[in-house]
Amino acid sequence: MKKLTTWFVAVTIGLTLGFGNVHAEEIDTSNPFKMLEQIAERMTVRIGEERSSIEQNPGYLRDIMAQELMPHSDYQFAARQVLGRNFQRLSSEQQQEFIEVFREYLVTTYARVFTQYDETKHKIIFGRQGNYENERRVTVRAQLVEEGGRPPVRLDFQLQRRNPQAPWMAFDLVAEGVSMLNAQRSEVEASLRQNGIDGTIQLLRDRANREIRLDEELDVSDFTN
């Protein structure tokens, strides 16, 4: 499998360079194409500027992910999608607990991914902006480029808005034809059959509480085992 440095890093909507300083600029959630570019640049700048804090405390990456990425992630929708029809079979308390644990799992996953990120080597090149004004869902196409001669990785970010006035939010990434949402759904379904909902929630909780280490070598399979 591809290393995270060329595959799953892009889930976090980071790593592009050269769009100007957006520290004080509010994210434009009315335009999904511009939104992704702004988030990417803000993440790149912040991680570069706070590299010393990250090296002293790798767990600080969780705070960055929660603050910069999660406000623009429709994790509630994603959580319902990975459970599928099973979501409606849960009590309201179980539904809420699953959504909250799924969010924390995503935060830790993103943080672990960014232990692999080198702001001097990675960037995303976004494709041309398409029509979105009358759409509820759009695909933002991009390529993840890494120095060193590796072929670019094709990325399709899936975004949606709940109504024409609502902000755009990301809910899935298709990397080289592989949907992260579908992969998570398959894993959760397998866990439900084996462990039930309580065991599945505990599995996600255990993963959410994993230690963040900068020296960890990650592969895509590390997030499904």
Side-chain angles (χ1 to χ4, degrees):
M1 290 189 180
K2 292 183 175 70
K3 287 292 184 180
L4 266 288
T5 48
T6 58
W7 201 88
F8 192 44
V9 169
V11 173
T12 57
I13 318 174
L15 321 190
T16 190
L17 301 174
F19 283 93
N21 195 321
V22 294
H23 264 311
E25 183 179 356
E26 185 174 350
I27 299 297
D28 182 3
T29 60
S30 67
N31 182 329
F33 299 89
K34 184 177 180 180
M35 183 185 82
L36 286 184
E37 292 181 357
Q38 289 178 315
I39 294 172
E41 170 61 8
R42 185 141 78 182
M43 286 293 298
T44 300
V45 171
R46 182 170 180 184
I47 288 177
E49 291 181 348
E50 302 189 32
R51 175 62 65 185
S52 61
S53 296
I54 294 169
E55 290 176 350
Q56 292 175 14
N57 174 24
Y60 180 57
L61 280 167
R62 281 194 178 97
D63 294 337
I64 296 178
M65 301 303 111
Q67 294 164 12
E68 302 292 349
L69 296 179
M70 298 312 293
H72 309 289
S73 169
D74 198 347
Y75 63 88
Q76 294 180 330
F77 173 81
R80 291 193 294 269
Q81 289 296 108
V82 300
L83 277 178
R85 290 175 297 178
N86 294 294
F87 188 80
Q88 299 303 325
R89 298 169 182 166
L90 305 182
S91 66
S92 59
E93 291 79 9
Q94 288 175 320
Q95 291 176 349
Q96 187 60 36
E97 184 179 14
F98 183 85
I99 290 173
E100 291 175 356
V101 170
F102 186 76
R103 178 188 182 278
E104 295 307 309
Y105 158 72
L106 290 179
V107 168
T108 294
T109 298
Y110 298 160
R112 292 179 67 204
V113 166
F114 263 107
T115 65
Q116 310 291 294
Y117 170 58
D118 183 342
E119 61 271 14
T120 67
K121 295 181 179 179
H122 302 116
K123 66 178 179 178
I124 282 181
I125 300 175
F126 288 97
R128 185 170 55 186
Q129 177 172 309
N131 296 324
Y132 66 90
E133 289 85 355
N134 298 319
E135 303 295 333
R136 293 285 293 274
R137 285 191 177 183
V138 298
T139 299
V140 177
R141 305 189 188 282
Q143 287 187 327
L144 177 63
V145 179
E146 179 183 1
E147 290 185 5
R150 292 185 180 182
V153 178
R154 188 181 76 251
L155 306 168
D156 293 337
F157 295 98
Q158 306 294 325
L159 298 93
Q160 66 180 10
R161 56 182 174 180
R162 300 185 181 185
N163 60 65
Q165 288 73 45
W168 287 96
M169 304 186 80
F171 67 91
D172 191 17
L173 169 70
V174 180
E176 293 293 336
V178 179
S179 164
M180 293 301 300
L181 193 62
N182 288 343
Q184 290 170 333
R185 181 187 296 117
S186 296
E187 182 189 8
V188 167
E189 288 177 350
S191 178
L192 286 171
R193 289 193 297 270
Q194 184 175 358
N195 306 309
I197 184 59
D198 291 336
T200 300
I201 289 174
Q202 187 58 49
L203 173 66
L204 292 179
R205 182 175 288 113
D206 291 343
R207 292 183 179 177
N209 291 331
R210 288 191 63 162
E211 179 184 6
I212 307 298
R213 293 171 42 217
L214 298 182
D215 61 351
E216 187 175 14
E217 290 290 334
L218 300 178
D219 192 89
V220 174
S221 60
D222 291 323
F223 297 93
T224 58
N225 292 321

